[in-house]
Amino acid sequence: MRHILILICLFFVVMPRAYAEHILIAADRWCPFNCEVGAELPGFMVEVAQRVFSDHGHDVEYIEMNWSRAIQETRKGNINAIMGGFKSDAPQFIYPQEELAVLGNSFFVRKDSDWTYEGV
């Protein structure tokens, strides 16, 4: 059975703060998508968000927190967005039409190996 997990870059909860000049994005660390806060290379999704929103006059702040708490705080309106999630994590959130990245699982073996994947 082939599983392809769709990785969502950003999704926003509809709220007045979503259009503020300061955008607060939270996630748990999942490098290379979102890495250590304040690092020279904070993760490509953080960099994309900062670049896209700064071009439109917004300041993006990325903070790290437990994934469940990040979802909960976004639902409450204390955080504008979370990044690196799946639709199944928060199906009521708004998602972009196109993913920034797609995540899949693969197995590789040597050509002379007789090992085959037989399920979980």
Side-chain angles (χ1 to χ4, degrees), residues 24-90:
L24 183 59
I25 301 174
D28 59 350
R29 193 179 307 181
W30 195 22
C31 218
F33 307 101
N34 50 291
C35 305
E36 184 178 349
V37 172
E40 184 180 339
L41 299 172
F44 75 87
M45 289 185 150
V46 176
E47 293 177 51
V48 167
Q50 290 171 336
R51 177 72 183 268
V52 168
F53 290 112
S54 70
D55 286 353
H56 295 281
H58 299 284
D59 170 50
V60 173
E61 180 184 0
Y62 160 60
I63 61 173
E64 210 177 304
M65 69 173 56
N66 171 280
W67 184 241
S68 296
R69 182 170 169 230
I71 292 171
Q72 181 181 49
E73 292 300 312
T74 305
R75 282 188 180 123
K76 289 180 186 177
N78 296 328
I79 296 171
N80 299 107
I82 56 178
M83 69 173 51
F86 300 98
K87 286 184 180 181
S88 59
D89 292 335

Side-chain angles (χ1 to χ4, degrees), residues 99-110:
E99 305 87 11
L100 185 59
V102 177
L103 176 68
N105 296 315
S106 302
F107 294 99
F108 299 90
V109 297
R110 292 173 47 106

